[in-house]
Amino acid sequence: MTRVLIIEKRMTHYRVPLYERLRVLLANRGIELLVGYGPAHASEVSRNDAGALTWATDVPTRYLLGGRICLQSFGAAARTCDLLVVTQENKLVSNLPHQFLPTRYKVALWGHGGNLQGNPHGLAERWKRMVSRRADWWFAYTDHTLPLLAQAGFDPRKVTVLGNAIDTEALQGLCAQSEAEGVDALRARLGIPRQAFTGLFLGTFNAEKRVDFLLEAAVEIRRRLPQFELILAGSGPEQVAVDQFCRAHAWCHPVGQARGRLKSDVLIASDVILNPGMVGLGILDGFAAGRPMLTMRSPRHSPEIAYLRAGVNGEMTEPEMSAYVDAVCRLHEDSARRAQMASAAKVSAQTYSIQAMAERFATGIQLALQSGTGSQA
């Protein structure tokens, strides 16, 4: 049987459903899936996002230089496979022998195509672009990755766009339960007036998310819209500043980290999601609930920003306070447009699902196996 090995540095909980689905899809095509991963670095444990894949292989892993270098030993497993899929990170130096030396198996890369928060002209990114060409196939997170691979000189005919996703099925079910309870009841439970226009921030309180900008914008929005209320769901390095802000403004409602039913409650209780900073997979939470997201233009967004269609399922403004505040206020005034965006967001939730991602992954693996001969052409 044809065998494919995917190596991860560590396993996160949101990848487990993907691999479970992918394993079944590939088995139906006569392809055996093997997955290997190692333990998280100490700096990653606090993220509390670890997952476990019971049928996966433990990969011996060492971290050096405070986690800036990761050494993984998976050569023996790779030699039993027809295709090796590894993630694209400069720290994963164990990938290099498989990419640069002749192998009987093909090698595919999976990733962003570049560090979207890094300096595109720096040595690290120049090295990454060069290494990106040393693959037989590429699995790109989103369409956002395609121009990065083109800049690196990789053949676009050997790229599969996965549509990076998380499993939102459970969240959609919880949102249905929250909707059944009713927005008014949810808002009353959270201490929000019935007729409020409610914004929600759902994520990590840090500089990348522009939480400081959000709080400043919220004051201006409230000045222009006295019925504006803000839910802050999350935690992070800027927790102290958030707590101080909430104590000073009674219309701001901190709920802590929102998971499970609490997450669905705050999503349904809100009208819009406000994230002026970096947008990533969290955009899918809003889609699952049918809530449009408002963000700002930035080169630091993660690839999932490709899912936002400005004016359709969300808004992207210029990176200016006045532009962002104006967009929020306009959306309040135009309830019909807001309803259209909400419907489009729900449609997007079906497009960027874990099942769709697994299907694309399986098809891409089959194409990679069938493409050319030899390694790293």
Side-chain angles (χ1 to χ4, degrees):
M1 177 179 281
T2 303
R3 305 177 85 186
V4 174
L5 172 64
I6 300 178
I7 296 294
E8 291 260 31
K9 179 167 64 70
R10 67 187 185 99
M11 183 58 59
T12 53
H13 65 84
Y14 54 84
R15 286 296 184 221
V16 172
L18 169 67
Y19 288 128
E20 297 289 4
R21 285 169 168 79
L22 184 59
R23 189 187 193 194
V24 173
L25 290 173
L26 289 176
N28 291 337
R29 303 181 189 207
I31 302 170
E32 181 183 6
L33 174 64
L34 305 176
V35 176
Y37 63 92
H41 184 260
S43 63
E44 298 169 318
V45 174
S46 61
R47 297 181 186 178
N48 196 28
D49 62 355
L53 202 60
T54 57
W55 46 270
T57 301
D58 292 329
V59 176
T61 301
R62 291 176 58 207
Y63 292 98
L64 305 175
L65 301 179
R68 290 192 291 274
I69 297 293
C70 177
L71 298 174
Q72 292 186 293
S73 181
F74 53 84
R79 285 190 290 273
T80 69
C81 296
D82 301 281
L83 174 67
L84 169 67
V85 182
V86 292
T87 52
Q88 179 216 32
E89 290 185 63
N90 282 352
K91 69 175 64 176
L92 301 178
V93 296
S94 302
N95 294 347
L96 300 180
H98 303 274
Q99 292 181 254
F100 283 86
L101 298 178
T103 61
R104 61 162 292 277
Y105 47 87
K106 293 175 179 167
V107 178
L109 287 172
W110 174 17
H112 294 176
N115 181 359
L116 303 181
Q117 287 77 51
N119 176 6
H121 307 295
L123 178 60
E125 287 309 295
R126 292 204 302 271
W127 168 256
K128 182 172 284 187
R129 284 194 291 272
M130 189 272 286
V131 172
S132 293
R133 295 194 292 271
R134 301 296 302 180
D136 297 295
W137 203 266
W138 247 96
F139 294 100
Y141 267 51
T142 71
D143 289 333
H144 201 75
T145 305
L146 292 175
L148 299 176
L149 294 180
Q151 291 169 18
F154 193 81
D155 186 348
R157 294 170 299 179
K158 297 182 178 181
V159 180
T160 296
V161 178
L162 296 179
N164 194 40
I166 54 177
D167 190 357
T168 56
E169 290 180 9
L171 179 57
Q172 288 171 313
L174 290 172
C175 285
Q177 295 176 27
S178 296
E179 285 179 325
E181 182 175 338
V183 174
D184 291 346
L186 293 176
R187 289 185 175 180
R189 186 146 49 83
L190 294 169
I192 299 172
R194 178 180 178 182
Q195 298 301 323
F197 177 68
T198 306
L200 167 66
F201 175 85
L202 178 63
T204 305
F205 301 148
N206 60 22
E208 288 184 335
K209 295 293 187 180
R210 301 291 305 273
V211 173
D212 56 343
F213 181 100
L214 172 67
L215 299 182
E216 185 180 347
V219 172
E220 179 60 21
I221 295 168
R222 175 77 179 192
R223 185 187 68 79
R224 291 173 55 175
L225 298 176
Q227 64 272 56
F228 176 71
E229 304 271 325
L230 178 64
I231 302 172
L232 289 167
S235 62
E238 298 186 16
Q239 184 72 58
V240 173
V242 169
D243 290 343
Q244 290 175 344
F245 183 87
C246 292
R247 285 194 294 269
H249 301 89
W251 45 269
C252 187
H253 310 272
V255 298
Q257 284 191 318
R259 295 178 179 174
R261 182 61 191 270
L262 177 57
K263 176 189 276 192
S264 66
D265 283 352
V266 296
L267 282 164
I268 298 304
S270 66
D271 294 294
V272 293
I273 297 176
L274 305 180
N275 181 2
M278 185 184 74
V279 172
L281 276 169
I283 193 172
L284 298 180
D285 291 331
F287 288 167
R291 295 296 184 268
M293 174 183 284
L294 278 75
T295 189
M296 298 190 300
R297 198 176 308 281
S298 170
R300 301 177 69 83
H301 286 304
S302 292
E304 293 78 19
I305 192 62
Y307 305 159
L308 190 146
R309 298 170 60 202
V312 179
N313 58 14
E315 286 286 11
M316 181 182 291
T317 76
E318 292 303 314
E320 301 167 356
M321 181 65 67
S322 60
Y324 194 73
V325 171
D326 285 347
V328 175
C329 293
R330 283 197 302 270
L331 209 53
H332 163 262
E333 294 163 3
D334 194 342
S335 59
R337 184 162 175 264
R338 195 166 70 245
Q340 290 173 349
M341 283 187 172
S343 296
K346 285 191 173 183
V347 171
S348 296
Q350 303 304 316
T351 303
Y352 304 110
S353 67
I354 202 79
Q355 184 62 37
M357 182 183 181
E359 293 278 1
R360 295 185 192 106
F361 214 154
T363 298
I365 285 172
Q366 199 165 29
L367 290 172
L369 288 165
Q370 295 168 353
S371 66
T373 58
S375 177
Q376 296 88 57

